[in-house]
Amino acid sequence: TQLLEQSPQFLSIQEGENLTVYCNSSSVFSSLQWYRQEPGEGPVLLVTVVTGGEVKKLKRLTFQFGDARKDSSLHITAAQPGDTGLYLCAGTGAGSYQLTFGKGTKLSVIP
Amino acid sequence: EPEVTQTPSHQVTQMGQEVILRCVPISNHLYFYWYRQILGQKVEFLVSFYNNEISEKSEIFDDQFSVERPDGSNFTLKIRSTKLEDSAMYFCASSRDSQNIQYFGAGTRLSVL
């Protein structure tokens, strides 16, 4: 069974600060997706990474896939209150289409 | 922008009743999925569907569950005899190809009383 551990579980920071959240596993993933989920809504896709060592940027968000494709990180620069939400990582294993989700990091950015 | 749509947004049912949750995937997508999220827990995979048949299913997806693509646009999840522990948010997702970038609907909240 593939598991994804996300840390920290909760993060509260001041507006303008930088932060990094992590997604770790002992398993290799073919691809890894980051989602953001608001209360009572479905996960909204932010980015997909597929190549070990890959880095993708989405405005102030930087996503990295580990060289061994077992871990990933999300770095937010100069966080804003609009970044508040639940950030989920989810991966697929070789030969499978099912997404395995982590429990998420709940981010609060205080104005 | 195309999106996955789910109906109803909230379904309340009595224990033992059958429910059908409906989804309209993105129109040019070929792979369809159901996930569920019990309150306060992580999103869990139920089933994937491709070429009119189930391609993968989890241990959660037992004989009480079934999926169907009755026409060219809808994808349904049926729970035959609901239990209290089936109460959860149910999410439908779809992806276009083997790159497997999955897009999720807003979910149906199922409450079993």
Side-chain angles (χ1 to χ4, degrees), chain B residues 12-16 82-84 87 111-113:
Chain B
V12 182
T13 189
Q14 294 288 327
M15 191 170 57
T82 50
K83 308 183 191 71
L84 295 176
S87 294
S111 299
V112 182
L113 306 178

Side-chain angles (χ1 to χ4, degrees), chain A residues 44-103:
Chain A
V44 175
L45 181 68
L46 296 174
V47 79
T48 298
V49 285
V50 295
T51 306
E54 183 176 4
V55 176
K56 280 193 175 177
K57 294 197 175 197
L58 189 68
K59 297 183 181 177
R60 293 177 294 101
L61 278 59
T62 301
F63 303 85
Q64 184 160 9
F65 201 13
D67 291 341
R69 290 186 289 135
K70 292 183 179 181
D71 55 87
S72 181
S73 63
L74 159 59
H75 181 79
I76 301 179
T77 304
Q80 298 177 2
D83 296 327
T84 294
L86 180 67
Y87 289 84
L88 300 170
C89 67
T92 52
S96 172
Y97 289 103
Q98 66 172 277
L99 282 173
T100 297
F101 278 82
K103 288 187 177 179

Side-chain angles (χ1 to χ4, degrees), chain A residues 3 33 35 37 40-43 45 48 92 96-99 101-103, chain B residues 31 33 35 37 42-43 45 56 89 91 98 100-106:
Chain A
L3 290 173
Q33 299 173 22
Y35 293 86
Q37 186 180 26
E41 297 182 12
L45 181 68
T48 298
T92 52
S96 172
Y97 289 103
Q98 66 172 277
L99 282 173
F101 278 82
K103 288 187 177 179
Chain B
Y31 300 81
Y33 314 85
Y35 293 80
Q37 186 176 32
K42 63 181 179 180
V43 178
F45 169 79
E56 284 180 279
M89 283 288 285
F91 295 109
S98 59
N100 198 30
I101 299 172
Q102 296 186 25
Y103 296 88
F104 284 75

Side-chain angles (χ1 to χ4, degrees), chain B residues 10-74:
Chain B
H10 191 189
Q11 174 85 50
V12 182
T13 189
Q14 294 288 327
M15 191 170 57
Q17 294 295 305
E18 174 183 288
V19 293
I20 297 176
L21 310 183
R22 302 181 191 279
C23 170
V24 179
I26 294 173
S27 62
N28 63 346
H29 284 191
L30 302 176
Y31 300 81
F32 316 114
Y33 314 85
W34 284 100
Y35 293 80
R36 80 170 185 192
Q37 186 176 32
I38 294 171
L39 187 64
Q41 298 186 23
K42 63 181 179 180
V43 178
E44 301 173 289
F45 169 79
L46 293 178
V47 66
S48 62
F49 192 85
Y50 170 71
N51 201 25
N52 280 320
E53 60 183 25
I54 290 173
S55 49
E56 284 180 279
K57 60 182 181 178
S58 71
E59 291 176 354
I60 303 168
F61 194 88
D62 62 21
D63 292 345
Q64 292 298 312
F65 291 88
S66 62
V67 289
E68 191 178 26
R69 187 155 164 82
D71 53 43
S73 61
N74 290 284

